[in-house]
């Protein structure tokens, strides 16, 4: 089928938009393109939908909206065509019914698309307005095109895309996959697995069996197959017949699935390593076998012998490496307890200690995705019973999946000790518009660069009041934690459901005001500035000046003064507050670092001048 008329129509739609929607009735080139497209429209339903919508352009009182819909649908269809043409009928993309174009400036749209195209680090710093653009067909098209490159920043953005579109994006990713490209990265397979999981198992198998497919694509497909025991026989066959990286990928998948043959395979790998643990550490890490568990136990005993009072860094590195071996192993409860004993003996700093508790809990949480998840749930319950304060995050996560209200009771008395870990667990609960439910990922803390994507646990349709109360009670713990807490709360608000947003923002705003009155931090003021309505402006008085004054101690004075502009105060109120602050800072001249004091005086004066001119 010659689909050239389709591309000509798409070009004319964009040209008509660029020349001004008001002139669409006079655009004879667009009319010709629509007429030339009619035979294609008769050939399949997807094109017929576009043809029908284009016909409305000349009848509508508001052609701009119709034109936007036509362009969105044309963009979606263009992606599903791929970069080649074939003689078969085009199938309608599952995603076209929800595709739309969002009114946005050209600079905003092109700016986001450029970030996507370049897989920019700025994808980790998107605004609320940019996140809303994920519903736009042009942004989705840019993501699908960039998905071949893939990096940690695009992976992060992919989660936002998949939250919006879910499995509906799979046909687009499949159509964009070029199995004739020997250098293909396989990242699109990773995204397909993130979207659909084992539902696309037959597709993964078809790629693995295709010996002509690029190596990276086959490897990604093997990884996607490694969570389904039904694939064991094929993976064993690949291990025995393939070579190089494909063989190694099959090996790791077999070890993870742990059929009877896996014990013998692992024993042979260990024997060939001649006692060099680093040569088989990755194989032990992935394997849930008894052999692997005994090796981890021996490694834990070895780690425990390191005199931590003499070399805490060596001990810390050793336990970090050993804990990384706990993956997929449900019979090593004694190793977790021994790791806790070592951490307690360190006498290390508060943050370092919590980091390693987070690492232990992170491993337990990720293991709950395992096919033998009930064994890991039993392990978590057993560890929590013995050391409740140390395994709160994992036990809370497990209870959160079962009953959110019951999970709240687990946190009693734990917020102070493990504030960062617990706050992150709460802040990582996000709403998926594709699934119309809140979810969280099987992890404890931020995803690490290069780590495997974590699976999702879907929780509830509306955010429970009981959990919201816990989040709002965070203002009752030590004030030195407020910066971390407010940063997490800001992330959480971004990810909440539209119908819950007003209730959540109102509650969290009260918490932010409470924190600001006790000990204002940047993120605390930032939260208030973003979400405080003008009707509550009176409560903002003094918050910015208290934060700015605190920067004399933190030595961040040179960048702090402009934050007052973001609060819903009148210009005169801002000037009065800054003038009062200026006198206060001047009176404290001898109490602080001279350079920091001078910087702050200049910053306040500059801000007052700016407001008076404005």
């Amino acid at each position: 089928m010659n689909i050239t008329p389709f591309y000509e129509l798409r070009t004319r739609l964009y040209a008509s938009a660029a020349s001004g929607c008001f002139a669409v009735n006079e655009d004879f080139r667009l009319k010709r393109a629509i007429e030339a497209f009619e035979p294609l429209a008769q050939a399949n339903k997807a094109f017929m939908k576009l043809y029908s919508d284009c016909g409305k352009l000349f009848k509508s009182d508001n052609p701009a909206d119709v034109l936007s819909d036509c362009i969105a649908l044309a963009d979606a269809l263009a992606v599903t065509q791929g970069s080649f043409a074939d003689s078969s009928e085009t199938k309608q993309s599952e995603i076209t019914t929800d595709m739309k174009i969002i009114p946005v400036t050209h600079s905003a749209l092109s700016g986001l698309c450029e970030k996507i195209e370049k897989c920019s680090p700025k994808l980790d710093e998107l605004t609320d307005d940019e996140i809303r653009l994920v519903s736009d067909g042009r942004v989705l098209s840019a993501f699908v095109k960039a998905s071949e490159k893939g990096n940690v920043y695009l992976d992060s953005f992919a989660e936002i895309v998949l939250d919006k579109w879910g499995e509906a994006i799979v046909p687009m990713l499949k159509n964009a996959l070029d199995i004739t490209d020997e250098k293909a990265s396989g990242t699109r397979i990773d995204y397909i697995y993130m979207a659909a999981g084992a539902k696309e198992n037959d597709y993964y198998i078809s790629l693995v069996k295709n010996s002509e497919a690029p190596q990276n694509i086959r490897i990604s497909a093997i990884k996607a197959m490694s969570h389904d025991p039904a694939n064991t026989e094929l993976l064993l066959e690949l291990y025995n017949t393939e070579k190089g990286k494909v063989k190694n990928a099959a090996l790791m998948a077999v070890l993870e699935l742990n059929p009877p043959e896996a014990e013998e395979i692992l024993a042979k790998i260990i024997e060939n390593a001649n006692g060099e643990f680093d040569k088989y550490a990755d194989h032990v890490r992935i394997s849930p076998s008894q052999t692997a568990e005994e090796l981890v136990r021996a490694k834990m005993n070895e780690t425990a012998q390191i005199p931590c009072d003499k070399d805490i860094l060596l001990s810390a590195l050793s336990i970090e490496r050993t804990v990384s071996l706990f993956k997929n192993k449900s019979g090593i409860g004694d190793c977790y307890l021994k790791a806790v004993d070592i951490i307690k003996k360190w006498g290390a700093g508060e943050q370092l200690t919590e980091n390693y508790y987070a690492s232990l809990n992170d491993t337990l949480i990720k293991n709950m995705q395992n096919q033998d998840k009930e064994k890991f749930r039993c392990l978590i319950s057993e560890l929590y019973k013995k050391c409740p304060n140390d395994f709160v995050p994992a036990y809370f996560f497990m209870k959160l999946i079962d009953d959110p209200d019951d999970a709240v009771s687990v946190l009693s008395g734990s917020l102070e000790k493990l504030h960062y870990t617990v706050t992150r667990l709460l802040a990582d609960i996000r709403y998926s518009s594709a699934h119309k439910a809140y979810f969280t990922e099987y992890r404890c803390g931020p995803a690490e660069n290069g780590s495997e994507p974590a699976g999702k646990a879907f929780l509830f349709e509306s955010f429970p009041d009981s959990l919201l109360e816990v989040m709002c009670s965070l203002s009752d713990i030590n004030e030195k934690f407020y910066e971390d807490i407010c940063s997490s709360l800001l992330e959480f608000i971004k990810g909440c459901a539209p119908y819950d947003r007003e209730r959540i923002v109102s509650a969290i705003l009260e918490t932010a005001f409470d924190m600001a009155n006790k000990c204002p931090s940047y993120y605390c003021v930032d939260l208030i500035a973003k979400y405080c309505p003008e009707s509550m402006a009176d409560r903002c008085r003094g918050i910015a000046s208290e934060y700015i004054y605190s920067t004399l101690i933190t030595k961040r004075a040179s960048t702090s003064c402009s934050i007052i502009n973001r609060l819903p105060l009148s210009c005169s109120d801002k000037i009065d507050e800054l003038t009062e602050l200026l006198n206060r800072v001047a009176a404290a001249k001898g109490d602080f670092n001279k350079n920091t004091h001078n910087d702050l005086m200049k910053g306040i004066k500059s801000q007052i001048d700016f407001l008076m001119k404005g």
Side-chain angles (χ1 to χ4, degrees):
M1 180 186 295
N2 179 10
I3 60 172
T4 301
F6 161 68
Y7 289 108
E8 290 178 349
L9 172 59
R10 181 168 173 257
T11 300
R12 288 313 317 163
L13 288 169
Y14 270 103
S16 185
S19 61
C21 301
F22 60 87
V24 69
N25 285 323
E26 302 172 8
D27 192 340
F28 67 91
R29 292 186 179 87
L30 176 59
K31 290 180 181 178
R32 287 179 183 173
I34 295 172
E35 290 169 1
F37 180 63
E38 184 178 6
L40 273 181
Q42 300 297 336
N44 71 68
K45 294 179 181 178
F47 283 156
M48 176 55 77
K49 176 72 168 68
L50 177 60
Y51 177 75
S52 175
D53 286 354
C54 287
K56 298 173 185 176
L57 279 169
F58 306 102
K59 304 173 184 177
S60 174
D61 294 331
N62 190 3
D65 287 347
V66 179
L67 184 59
S68 293
D69 290 341
C70 290
I71 291 174
L73 180 54
D75 280 348
L77 290 171
V79 173
T80 62
Q81 301 309 305
S83 57
F84 59 93
D86 61 35
S87 58
S88 62
E89 284 192 2
T90 305
K91 293 182 180 180
Q92 183 176 14
S93 166
E94 297 174 32
I95 206 166
T96 55
T97 54
D98 292 326
M99 189 76 72
K100 58 185 176 182
I101 279 189
I102 296 175
V104 62
T105 63
H106 178 267
S107 60
L109 177 65
S110 60
L112 177 56
C113 289
E114 184 178 354
K115 291 175 189 176
I116 296 169
E117 181 184 348
K118 294 181 177 179
C119 303
S120 167
K122 293 181 179 179
L123 287 172
D124 272 351
E125 305 168 358
L126 298 179
T127 65
D128 288 350
D129 288 337
E130 287 177 313
I131 290 173
R132 278 194 285 273
L133 287 177
V134 170
S135 300
D136 192 293
R138 295 163 293 183
V139 173
L140 188 60
S141 177
F143 168 74
V144 172
K145 290 175 184 176
S147 61
E148 168 57 25
K149 304 173 187 177
N151 66 2
V152 293
Y153 305 112
L154 194 67
D155 288 350
S156 177
F157 182 70
E159 292 183 8
I160 300 173
V161 173
L162 296 176
D163 288 348
K164 166 61 186 173
W165 295 109
E167 294 176 39
I169 197 175
V170 170
M172 298 177 72
L173 290 168
K174 284 184 179 180
N175 286 326
L177 190 69
D178 184 2
I179 60 172
T180 65
D181 180 6
E182 293 182 3
K183 297 181 179 179
S185 69
T187 307
R188 285 182 174 130
I189 306 301
D190 297 337
Y191 293 154
I192 290 172
Y193 183 79
M194 288 169 65
K199 292 180 183 178
E200 290 293 335
N201 195 57
D202 290 344
Y203 179 64
Y204 310 139
I205 290 174
S206 69
L207 294 171
V208 167
K209 286 185 173 180
N210 183 356
S211 58
E212 300 298 318
Q215 175 178 271
N216 289 333
I217 287 179
R218 297 183 74 201
I219 289 172
S220 290
I222 287 172
K223 290 179 180 177
M225 293 168 58
S226 67
H227 306 289
D228 188 346
N231 296 321
T232 302
E233 186 176 343
L234 175 56
L235 291 168
L236 278 167
E237 180 186 333
L238 291 168
Y239 169 64
N240 290 319
T241 58
E242 292 289 341
K243 297 179 180 179
K245 293 182 179 179
V246 173
K247 178 185 180 74
N248 189 60
L251 164 64
M252 299 301 279
V254 168
L255 291 176
E256 184 166 12
L257 289 169
N258 198 33
E261 297 89 341
E263 288 277 6
E264 183 180 346
I265 292 171
L266 181 59
K268 190 175 293 185
I269 291 170
I270 294 170
E271 181 183 346
N272 293 336
N274 296 319
E276 296 184 47
F277 184 78
D278 287 348
K279 287 186 176 180
Y280 58 88
D282 288 340
H283 304 95
V284 171
R285 181 178 294 111
I286 202 77
S287 172
S289 68
Q290 289 186 357
T291 299
E293 287 187 350
E294 287 305 317
L295 285 166
V296 171
R297 189 168 284 110
K299 202 70 180 173
M300 194 73 244
N301 290 333
E302 181 184 314
T303 301
Q305 300 306 312
I306 297 174
C308 59
D309 58 326
K310 292 184 179 180
D311 195 341
I312 191 171
L313 179 59
L314 176 61
S315 183
L317 290 172
S318 296
I319 196 171
E320 183 178 0
R321 291 178 185 139
T322 306
V323 169
S324 74
L325 301 174
F326 289 7
K327 179 177 181 178
N328 293 338
K329 299 165 185 65
S330 60
I332 57 170
D334 56 317
C335 293
Y336 281 95
L337 296 174
K338 189 162 286 187
V340 168
D341 287 340
I342 294 173
I343 293 170
K344 288 179 178 177
K345 289 176 184 177
W346 281 353
E350 188 176 84
Q351 188 61 57
L352 180 61
T353 299
E354 181 166 352
N355 285 346
Y356 282 100
Y357 278 125
S359 179
L360 286 172
N361 283 277
D362 184 58
T363 304
L364 286 167
I365 289 171
K366 287 177 178 174
N367 282 342
M368 273 197 283
Q369 302 173 87
N370 196 287
Q371 53 182 313
D372 295 325
K373 60 183 178 182
E374 287 308 315
K375 291 182 179 179
F376 291 102
R377 290 173 65 90
C378 289
L379 174 60
I380 291 171
S381 296
E382 177 188 320
L383 291 170
Y384 179 74
K385 188 180 294 184
K386 293 179 179 179
C387 300
N389 291 329
D390 304 315
F391 295 102
V392 164
Y395 192 70
F396 168 73
F397 189 97
M398 185 174 75
K399 289 293 184 181
L400 182 65
I401 296 172
D402 297 338
D403 182 355
D405 291 329
D406 189 30
V408 170
S409 62
V410 176
L411 298 179
S412 177
S414 302
L415 294 179
E416 187 81 39
K417 181 181 178 184
L418 297 173
H419 77 281
Y420 179 75
T421 305
V422 172
T423 304
R424 286 301 318 175
L425 282 172
L426 291 167
D428 282 343
I429 299 173
R430 303 193 301 280
Y431 179 75
S432 168
S433 55
H435 296 87
K436 294 180 171 53
Y438 282 88
F439 72 93
T440 189
E441 295 182 348
Y442 282 94
R443 57 182 172 85
C444 180
E448 298 176 2
N449 289 349
S451 63
E452 293 181 24
K456 291 180 173 63
F458 288 94
L459 304 172
F460 30 72
E461 291 183 5
S462 182
F463 198 82
D465 287 332
S466 57
L467 282 179
L468 186 57
E469 286 175 15
V470 171
M471 299 183 84
C472 293
S473 71
L474 292 169
S475 61
D476 296 332
I477 69 174
N478 197 307
E479 295 170 359
K480 64 183 178 181
F481 303 140
Y482 285 180
E483 190 87 352
D484 287 341
I485 291 169
C486 287
S487 174
S488 295
L489 291 177
L490 278 163
E491 288 185 44
F492 171 69
I493 290 174
K494 281 186 178 182
C496 68
Y499 48 78
D500 280 340
R501 191 180 181 89
E502 184 178 350
R503 171 172 61 96
I504 288 172
V505 168
S506 177
I508 289 179
L509 197 56
E510 287 297 325
T511 302
F513 275 118
D514 191 17
M515 291 182 181
N517 290 329
K518 293 177 182 177
C519 180
S521 65
Y522 173 79
Y523 285 114
C524 182
V525 182
D526 187 38
L527 195 158
I528 293 171
K530 283 184 176 178
Y531 298 109
C532 181
E534 290 186 7
S535 59
M536 297 174 65
D538 285 349
R539 297 183 64 182
C540 295
R541 287 195 177 96
I543 286 176
S545 56
E546 284 300 321
Y547 164 68
I548 295 170
Y549 189 81
S550 73
T551 61
L552 281 171
I553 301 171
T554 59
K555 298 182 180 180
R556 292 186 296 182
S558 60
T559 59
S560 64
C561 298
S562 61
I563 197 167
I564 196 171
N565 285 333
R566 299 174 51 213
L567 293 171
L569 296 169
S570 68
C571 184
S572 60
D573 283 342
K574 292 173 185 177
I575 292 172
D576 290 345
E577 185 170 327
L578 288 173
T579 302
E580 186 177 331
L581 175 63
L582 186 65
N583 295 331
R584 182 183 174 190
V585 173
K589 184 175 183 180
D591 298 336
F592 298 99
N593 175 276
K594 182 178 179 181
N595 290 334
T596 305
H597 184 273
N598 290 340
D599 285 345
L600 185 55
M601 290 287 289
K602 289 178 183 176
I604 297 171
K605 290 177 181 177
S606 175
Q607 196 61 43
I608 292 173
D609 289 342
F610 172 78
L611 289 168
M612 293 183 75
K613 290 177 181 176

